[in-house]
Amino acid sequence: MKQKEFIVKALTALVIAFGVQTTANAQLGGLLNKAKKAGKDKVEQKVDNTKSQAVNQASNATGLNEPSAEGVVWRWQGKESELGQWADKIVFTGDRKSDAYKQQVFLHMKIFGEVLARVTSTEAYGLLDYITSDDKKTCAPIDEIPRYAWTKAFVDNPTVDNFKVFAMVLLYDSPTYMVYLQYPMSNAASGVVNTDKGWMLAWPSESAMNNERRAREDYAIEIAKKKIPLKDICDYTLMQYQRAEAAIEQGSPSLAHGYFMAEELKKRVIAEHPQYDASAECVRLVEAESAKWQANQGEKYRNMVEACAVSSAKPVDVPAGVNVSADIKTNGDAAAKKWAQLKNFEYVKTIYLTNSWRAFKNPKFPYNVTHHAIEAAVICKTGGKYVMQKMDLQKSLKGEYSMVVGLGAKLTPVNYK
């Protein structure tokens, strides 16, 4: 797949969606160069019980807009932070035309665009870019920039407008999205990022970093539940569902990211809001849009992302097949046709790559066979193109047949004649 070409298309669409222009100063290279000229590292290492402390503090505080509330850890504070003199520029303060905001959005779009290309596969996106402190030892993942900046900006000034920006942070907590984003490290349990370079996380471990991030975002959500009216949150969530639906009709997968955000807003903010009323019109509208996505829009979205990836991928040659018994072919072809029908593809043929059943056993009980499988490749036609999907023809112990997409296999254009 011409991944860079696909990512450029995704980023271009996202720029339009956010209504910003990426200037020369907002380019990722400039962002990293500025970040890497960091000042003196000053990191607080207390992270134990951060999440519960943060939530309790948010519930009991009288001044909820205080970012330095006990129990909430802010890694970057003013000009003495690990980002040095550039730190005061990193926090979005409400001006969406500022260079700081454009830089944060550009970086967010880059990360999201690259993860987007993997939504339909099991392939992870390893985030390798880190911001280092002045001594080039302490570091943080590059996605900390938008996550930190947008959260802190909202906590500092909890307005509706700033909440809409903070909502983008919730994409990083979306199970559908975050499952593809990983942080390759030499030793995640000890916070060692790169042994050769001597890089260490500003946190004692990867899990401590993730816990702290979630705690400060939970704290911001507690503020939102007290400061932002439910109807305003519902209206924004509803708009995200509708924008995503319109993007599907336009064939723009990158613009449909609002669906992930809307689902997180519904689950983490709306459902827990003190003004929540299931019978309220704004809540019912959100629930109706969510139900629509669960019923069919989500599948449309995945198919669209898959089609976009296929359109930019290089065609592969048809693999050589093997002969199989009449029973395997009859049941296998039927299962492949059923799969193609569910995908709205025109079925062409099934190529069998193996002809003997392989037994799969329960890992805990090795004598317990769960099913048998034969490797296959199903060729279909969609959008005027021939595509191929590597599959496993599975036969249950009851003798039922089904085609299952092979682990990590992607739909690929194929040179079929």
Side-chain angles (χ1 to χ4, degrees):
M1 179 177 71
K2 296 181 180 177
Q3 183 176 327
K4 292 183 178 178
E5 183 178 320
F6 171 68
I7 292 171
V8 168
K9 291 179 182 178
L11 294 186
T12 301
L14 279 169
V15 168
I16 297 172
F18 284 115
V20 298
Q21 295 178 344
T22 52
T23 62
N25 289 334
Q27 292 178 358
L28 182 62
L31 180 64
L32 291 174
N33 289 335
K34 288 181 180 179
K36 288 183 179 179
K37 292 179 181 178
K40 194 173 183 179
D41 179 42
K42 193 181 242 184
V43 178
E44 181 181 350
Q45 294 293 336
K46 297 179 181 179
V47 296
D48 292 341
N49 300 320
T50 303
K51 181 173 181 179
S52 60
Q53 291 175 8
V55 174
N56 290 337
Q57 178 64 29
S59 300
N60 300 327
T62 55
L64 285 177
N65 61 340
E66 292 297 326
S68 58
E70 183 180 354
V72 178
V73 181
W74 297 101
R75 290 286 166 186
W76 299 334
Q77 299 177 17
K79 294 186 178 182
E80 297 300 318
S81 73
E82 63 183 352
L83 288 184
Q85 294 185 356
W86 194 59
D88 59 345
K89 300 178 183 179
I90 196 174
V91 177
F92 164 64
T93 57
D95 180 8
R96 296 199 192 191
K97 295 182 180 179
S98 68
D99 283 344
Y101 179 67
K102 292 176 183 178
Q103 289 167 344
Q104 291 151 29
V105 169
F106 182 85
L107 183 56
H108 169 80
M109 292 188 302
K110 176 185 181 294
I111 296 169
F112 181 79
E114 294 188 5
V115 173
L116 180 66
R118 294 163 172 80
V119 168
T120 59
S121 77
T122 57
E123 183 181 357
Y125 168 54
L127 188 62
L128 300 174
D129 292 328
Y130 286 83
I131 312 164
T132 58
S133 61
D134 191 45
D135 61 8
K136 304 297 181 185
K137 298 295 183 183
T138 307
C139 64
I142 199 69
D143 67 343
E144 181 72 351
I145 289 180
R147 295 185 70 165
Y148 171 90
W150 292 335
T151 305
K152 187 174 190 299
F154 173 67
V155 171
D156 282 348
N157 186 17
T159 64
V160 172
D161 191 56
N162 283 357
F163 174 76
K164 293 176 181 179
V165 177
F166 162 70
M168 292 192 285
V169 173
L170 302 184
L171 283 169
Y172 294 93
D173 292 327
S174 168
T176 309
Y177 173 67
M178 270 296 288
V179 70
Y180 300 97
L181 183 59
Q182 296 181 359
Y183 306 95
M185 299 181 188
S186 298
N187 189 330
S190 301
V192 180
V193 174
N194 189 307
T195 303
D196 295 335
K197 295 181 179 180
W199 288 359
M200 299 286 295
L201 280 178
W203 300 263
S205 67
E206 180 186 20
S207 62
M209 175 185 72
N210 290 331
N211 288 340
E212 182 184 304
R213 287 171 155 188
R214 185 64 179 247
R216 73 188 184 205
E217 288 157 17
D218 284 348
Y219 179 68
I221 288 174
E222 290 298 315
I223 293 177
K225 286 153 59 177
K226 291 177 171 62
K227 296 287 187 178
I228 310 299
L230 176 65
K231 188 176 186 307
D232 288 337
I233 298 174
C234 285
D235 288 347
Y236 185 65
T237 303
L238 186 64
M239 182 180 69
Q240 293 301 325
Y241 279 124
Q242 293 171 343
R243 280 183 173 178
E245 187 173 350
I248 287 181
E249 298 303 321
Q250 299 166 7
S252 302
S254 56
L255 292 178
H257 74 285
Y259 160 63
F260 301 129
M261 187 196 307
E263 285 288 286
E264 291 301 302
L265 285 169
K266 181 176 77 75
K267 177 178 65 177
R268 298 178 63 188
V269 188
I270 295 175
E272 301 296 329
H273 199 284
Q275 298 173 359
Y276 178 82
D277 180 356
S279 65
E281 182 182 11
C282 63
V283 173
R284 288 190 291 113
L285 288 172
V286 167
E287 291 291 349
E289 285 295 326
S290 178
K292 186 189 299 184
W293 270 88
Q294 298 300 328
N296 53 40
Q297 295 297 103
E299 185 62 27
K300 286 183 181 179
Y301 174 76
R302 287 185 288 274
N303 289 343
M304 183 177 61
V305 173
E306 191 174 65
C308 188
V310 168
S311 67
S312 59
K314 184 178 180 180
V316 298
D317 292 331
V318 177
V322 298
N323 294 323
V324 294
S325 68
D327 180 64
I328 291 175
K329 180 170 175 56
T330 298
N331 289 287
D333 288 0
K337 289 176 183 177
K338 184 176 180 180
W339 173 82
Q341 185 178 16
L342 292 173
K343 299 286 290 184
N344 291 319
F345 292 163
E346 179 186 341
Y347 174 77
V348 177
K349 70 178 299 185
T350 301
I351 299 173
Y352 296 90
L353 306 178
T354 58
N355 55 14
S356 60
W357 294 104
R358 176 187 173 190
F360 284 80
K361 302 178 180 180
N362 187 320
K364 292 184 178 180
F365 306 99
Y367 296 103
N368 182 10
V369 175
T370 59
H371 66 276
H372 295 81
I374 283 177
E375 295 179 23
V378 179
I379 296 178
C380 299
K381 193 173 183 180
T382 177
K385 290 187 175 181
Y386 289 101
V387 293
M388 181 178 68
Q389 179 68 68
K390 293 289 184 67
M391 309 281 283
D392 286 333
L393 171 62
Q394 293 187 1
K395 182 174 68 171
S396 71
L397 298 184
K398 295 181 179 180
E400 299 168 335
Y401 292 81
S402 61
M403 278 290 184
V404 179
V405 175
L407 182 63
K410 292 183 178 181
L411 191 69
T412 310
V414 63
N415 295 317
Y416 182 79
K417 295 180 181 180

